[in-house]
Amino acid sequence: MDGALVYRRMSYFAQDHSSSLEAIKEFLYKNSFVNRFALFQCTSIFLNRHYIDEAVSKFRSSSCVFAVKRSHKLKWIEHNRSIKPLNFDPRRRPRRQDWTGELEETGMFYFSNRLLVSRNLLQNER
């Protein structure tokens, strides 16, 4: 992409426990001219150029764009030596073809802006 900048994090922000948000804050602090940015996770080996092009297009008119996938998994959680459903009512178990499912963040990429990061966010409800 034209105009893309690659930023190499300081070692302090590149530890096993470092969050992406911390690295972005460091980047924005050192690059005060940047108001909108993209973060690509190098661990996302299946990132297709089509996804990037679509995200760039959507980011032109949005404050943020991030990668998600639709999931139709019925989830459970262990609680006090038993299990409980997280995203459905077992008495009204949905058929997957009738259920729109849930959006699950993939972590592949984030397009966001300085204002959201100043609020410790990468995304908003839009």
Side-chain angles (χ1 to χ4, degrees):
M1 287 185 196
D2 293 336
L5 300 175
V6 175
Y7 181 75
R8 304 225 182 264
R9 297 186 290 179
M10 292 175 41
S11 60
Y12 177 80
F13 293 105
Q15 304 297 313
D16 288 344
H17 58 81
S18 300
S19 71
S20 296
L21 192 56
E22 290 171 332
I24 291 166
K25 285 181 177 182
E26 180 215 356
F27 170 80
L28 293 175
Y29 176 77
K30 293 196 171 206
N31 295 277
S32 60
F33 64 95
V34 174
N35 289 312
R36 294 166 58 87
F37 62 89
L39 168 68
F40 294 90
Q41 299 288 7
C42 63
T43 54
S44 297
I45 59 173
F46 298 112
L47 183 55
N48 184 301
R49 182 182 174 120
H50 168 75
Y51 301 151
I52 298 170
D53 291 341
E54 186 177 351
V56 168
S57 177
K58 289 179 186 227
F59 192 46
R60 288 190 176 104
S61 60
S62 301
S63 57
C64 65
V65 175
F66 57 102
V68 298
K69 68 176 183 171
R70 191 161 299 277
S71 173
H72 289 85
K73 294 178 180 175
L74 302 177
K75 297 179 183 178
W76 295 78
I77 188 169
E78 291 181 82
H79 181 72
N80 293 333
R81 301 180 75 181
S82 65
I83 59 172
K84 297 187 183 236
L86 279 179
N87 63 346
F88 73 104
D89 180 348
R91 292 176 298 251
R92 293 190 298 269
R93 185 182 191 86
R95 294 185 330 150
R96 284 168 177 77
Q97 64 267 37
D98 298 331
W99 178 38
T100 58
E102 300 175 321
L103 296 179
E104 186 176 320
E105 188 174 322
T106 68
M108 285 183 170
F109 58 78
Y110 300 87
F111 288 73
S112 194
N113 66 64
R114 182 179 289 275
L115 180 60
L116 285 173
V117 171
S118 72
R119 297 176 184 157
N120 287 324
L121 299 169
L122 285 176
Q123 309 101 327
N124 58 24
E125 68 281 355
R126 295 186 199 122

